[in-house]
Amino acid sequence: TTYKTTKQNKDETMNNETNTSIYYTVQKGYEIFGEGLTKEEAWEDAKEWIDKDSPVQELSFEELPSYSSANEGEFCIVESKEYNQ
């Protein structure tokens, strides 16, 4: 989608300029919901797009499963260099 393409371009620019990692909050099997320079930033960014009455809103970023252990549809945080779309 255009959203991912824009995010990928932004991330490449940020990585080239700062040589730092970017983190994504991903709904596994679906889309990127947030991004940030830390896991916490990526989660806070994602929560803006998740339904306000969703129980997921109550979770902290530390409670999210790793990308490799998440089931399809679960939210997780992954470092951009480890995320294969």
Side-chain angles (χ1 to χ4, degrees):
T1 66
T2 304
Y3 178 71
K4 286 185 179 180
T5 303
T6 302
K7 289 181 101 36
Q8 288 171 341
N9 290 339
K10 180 180 175 186
D11 293 344
E12 287 174 11
T13 301
M14 288 179 73
N15 281 329
N16 290 337
E17 290 176 357
T18 63
N19 200 25
T20 59
S21 295
I22 304 293
Y23 292 92
Y24 294 136
T25 299
V26 176
Q27 187 175 25
K28 192 168 183 180
Y30 297 95
E31 297 289 332
I32 295 171
F33 273 71
E35 68 179 11
L37 295 177
T38 66
K39 292 178 180 181
E40 185 173 14
E41 284 180 7
W43 180 233
E44 290 303 316
D45 185 42
K47 287 169 67 175
E48 293 181 35
W49 302 102
I50 298 170
D51 291 337
K52 298 299 179 204
D53 60 346
S54 171
V56 174
Q57 287 280 355
E58 301 301 318
L59 298 176
S60 71
F61 72 95
E62 292 110 341
E63 295 175 278
L64 300 176
S66 67
Y67 186 77
S68 61
S69 67
N71 295 314
E72 187 165 329
E74 283 188 300
F75 287 97
C76 54
I77 298 178
V78 63
E79 198 170 349
S80 60
K81 65 184 175 185
E82 298 173 7
Y83 179 63
N84 297 323
Q85 297 182 3

